[in-house]
Amino acid sequence: MPQISQLAATYASQVFWLLIFFGLTYFVIGRGMVPKVMDTVAMRDKQIADDLSAAEAARKAADEQEEAWRVRENENRAKAQELIAEAKAKAAAETEAKLATAQKGFDAKLETAEARIAEAREKAAAEIETIAAEATQSIVARVAGLTVDDTAARTAVRKELA
Amino acid sequence: MHQFTIEPMFGSDAWAIGGYNIAFTNSALWMAISVIVLWAFVAGGMKRQLVPGRWQMMVESFTGFIDDMLEANIGTAGRKYVPYIFSLFMFILFANILGLLPLGVIGLHPFTFTSHFTVTGVLAIISFAIVLIVGFAKHGLHFFSLFVPHGTPVPMIPVIFVVELISFMVRPFSLGLRLFVAMMAGHVLLEVLSSFVIGSGNYSAGIFALAGIPSFILMVGICALEILVAGIQAYVFALLTSVYLNDAENLH
């Protein structure tokens, strides 16, 4: 077994070179390079965490904005409804007023027209009386040869017409 | 056993510091290769892109794996040991896997330096020393309460203390020997099986069919197992070191 048979002759060289090369490994690779590699990993982890928190913050902001938009939208809708209701009420009132005035005009016209009709009817009745009285006088004169005065004829006609 | 032989290279046999021979051996060469390959692997993942490529992802999953292991065993205080545990895990992992490469096919001799207890022992002692230094620096003499578990009856304390102390002192040995034995056993097993294949082939076609072919099929399976063991032993070494560090960091 060379490990034992060569021990006395080689242990010093083995230990010496091991210390040199393991020392190189430790100081150059272990202390020099490994921390940088781990820094890179830590940096990446930090970047990922930052990105995640930024995304979370952005999501929250978007939610808030959406909420604000919703509130504004609701307000606007309520305002619009109010405006519509107001306009409707106004329009209804106006229509009513117009209808009322128009009705009044109609009523007045109707009244005058009725008055005129009544007047015309009276006149026509009077004329009929006169004509009837005259006709009666002439009929009586022709048939009986009597002369009936105007008043008697009218009274007789009025009696017949009534 | 030739694969475990240490040979000085590039005529460096006589190099010495203070009377200690420090020849640049094949073992040292494979340590250098492990460091270079590991450096290249980690350097390929240093592009520091926000969206990682495959290579960067691979390197980051290794650092993340060590980070998670320390966090699970020690807690957030464990993060400062990431450079050490990462170095330990990757150095052993690359050594184990590079030592398994079938480079013999092209005439090179891979050398698994983790199959030498001089190497695994030093790594274990470094880990143990860090545990002791952290333990005494953080808790002072209170660190000795590690050897008296909670709820120990007072008359039992001296006995338990000795038992716990022994089990604590055995840790560097078990840590170092486990890796050394696992790596060496796997390589020896492959060598024995391959000697069956070649020996039976040289003997006769009948024996080859009887012993050589089953041995070869077994070798394929054991090669797969050895790749698994290479990863598991590196993991066990790093895991146990972090468990021991937890004792030092948090006591019980």
Side-chain angles (χ1 to χ4, degrees):
Chain A
M1 212 162 112
Q3 285 94 332
I4 294 170
S5 60
Q6 287 189 305
L7 181 61
T10 60
Y11 78 95
S13 128
Q14 287 279 74
V15 171
F16 175 78
W17 290 110
L18 176 68
L19 290 179
I20 297 247
F21 287 118
F22 186 67
L24 268 177
T25 307
Y26 177 64
F27 286 106
V28 175
I29 298 171
R31 305 215 83 157
M33 296 160 93
V34 169
K36 284 180 192 157
V37 172
M38 292 182 67
D39 272 359
T40 311
V41 176
M43 238 162 56
R44 181 180 313 126
D45 289 351
K46 191 178 162 300
Q47 172 103 42
I48 290 171
D50 285 356
D51 284 359
L52 278 179
S53 64
E56 179 62 30
R59 201 179 62 82
K60 213 173 268 175
D63 278 357
E64 267 163 29
Q65 273 180 13
E66 199 196 340
E67 191 52 43
W69 173 81
R70 207 181 293 282
V71 168
R72 227 172 35 234
E73 190 66 13
N74 284 345
E75 265 170 29
N76 285 346
R77 190 165 297 148
K79 224 180 268 172
Q81 294 287 2
E82 222 168 85
L83 270 177
I84 288 169
E86 207 173 290
K88 248 186 206 162
K90 215 187 205 169
E94 246 164 54
T95 312
E96 219 166 289
K98 261 186 197 158
L99 273 175
T101 45
Q103 192 67 45
K104 241 176 238 166
F106 289 145
D107 286 353
K109 266 185 191 160
L110 265 175
E111 245 165 68
T112 47
E114 267 168 15
R116 259 202 333 264
I117 288 168
E119 202 180 318
R121 186 181 287 149
E122 251 165 56
K123 221 186 250 170
E127 246 163 65
I128 287 172
E129 236 177 66
T130 321
I131 291 169
E134 276 169 14
T136 311
Q137 276 173 320
S138 62
I139 289 167
V140 167
R142 285 232 192 116
V143 173
L146 292 171
T147 310
V148 181
D149 72 337
D150 203 38
T151 324
R154 267 178 198 266
T155 316
V157 165
R158 207 168 285 156
K159 211 182 268 169
E160 277 310 307
L161 280 178
Chain B
M1 291 294 172
H2 176 71
Q3 59 171 323
F4 302 119
T5 310
I6 296 171
E7 289 157 347
M9 303 188 83
F10 316 121
S12 63
D13 315 36
W15 290 4
I17 289 181
Y20 292 103
N21 180 281
I22 53 152
F24 191 85
T25 59
N26 52 348
S27 173
L29 176 69
W30 282 89
M31 292 176 197
I33 291 171
S34 296
V35 173
I36 290 166
V37 173
L38 176 55
W39 177 84
F41 174 71
V42 179
M46 293 258 294
K47 281 181 226 143
R48 318 203 67 177
Q49 287 165 328
L50 191 62
V51 178
R54 283 159 202 247
W55 198 295
Q56 193 183 338
M57 198 71 224
M58 210 151 55
V59 176
E60 282 174 3
S61 63
F62 272 109
T63 60
F65 166 67
I66 300 293
D67 192 30
D68 288 348
M69 186 171 80
L70 284 169
E71 181 121 18
N73 281 306
I74 305 178
T76 42
R79 297 204 79 177
K80 59 178 173 285
Y81 302 112
V82 168
Y84 175 67
I85 301 290
F86 181 84
S87 304
L88 195 63
F89 175 71
M90 295 304 270
F91 189 64
I92 295 172
L93 180 69
F94 275 57
N96 291 353
I97 288 176
L98 288 173
L100 272 177
L101 290 181
L103 295 178
V105 174
I106 55 168
L108 298 171
H109 289 283
F111 182 89
T112 317
F113 60 85
T114 43
S115 66
H116 276 253
F117 57 78
T118 39
V119 171
T120 61
V122 169
L123 291 176
I125 288 167
I126 294 172
S127 288
F128 192 66
I130 290 174
V131 170
L132 288 182
I133 291 167
V134 170
F136 282 113
K138 226 180 133 89
H139 305 289
L141 289 180
H142 194 60
F143 185 53
F144 284 108
S145 71
L146 186 65
F147 306 131
V148 183
H150 283 302
T152 312
V154 177
M156 292 292 284
I157 283 179
V159 182
I160 293 287
F161 186 88
V162 171
V163 169
E164 288 280 329
L165 181 64
I166 290 170
S167 87
F168 183 76
M169 297 310 287
V170 161
R171 282 174 177 184
F173 296 97
S174 67
L175 200 56
L177 286 177
R178 184 183 297 111
L179 177 58
F180 146 69
V181 165
M183 295 321 294
M184 170 146 174
H187 284 257
V188 168
L189 187 57
L190 285 175
E191 187 171 324
V192 168
L193 287 172
S194 60
S195 76
F196 283 171
V197 176
I198 292 162
S200 65
N202 287 338
Y203 193 74
S204 78
I207 299 287
F208 181 71
L210 203 69
I213 291 174
S215 296
F216 184 76
I217 293 167
L218 189 59
M219 273 183 77
V220 174
I222 288 180
C223 280
L225 185 71
E226 281 309 304
I227 293 171
L228 186 70
V229 167
I232 287 177
Q233 288 302 325
Y235 174 63
V236 165
F237 203 105
L239 180 69
L240 284 176
T241 301
S242 56
V243 168
Y244 298 161
L245 277 171
N246 177 44
D247 283 348
E249 191 77 36
N250 302 321
L251 289 181
H252 278 306

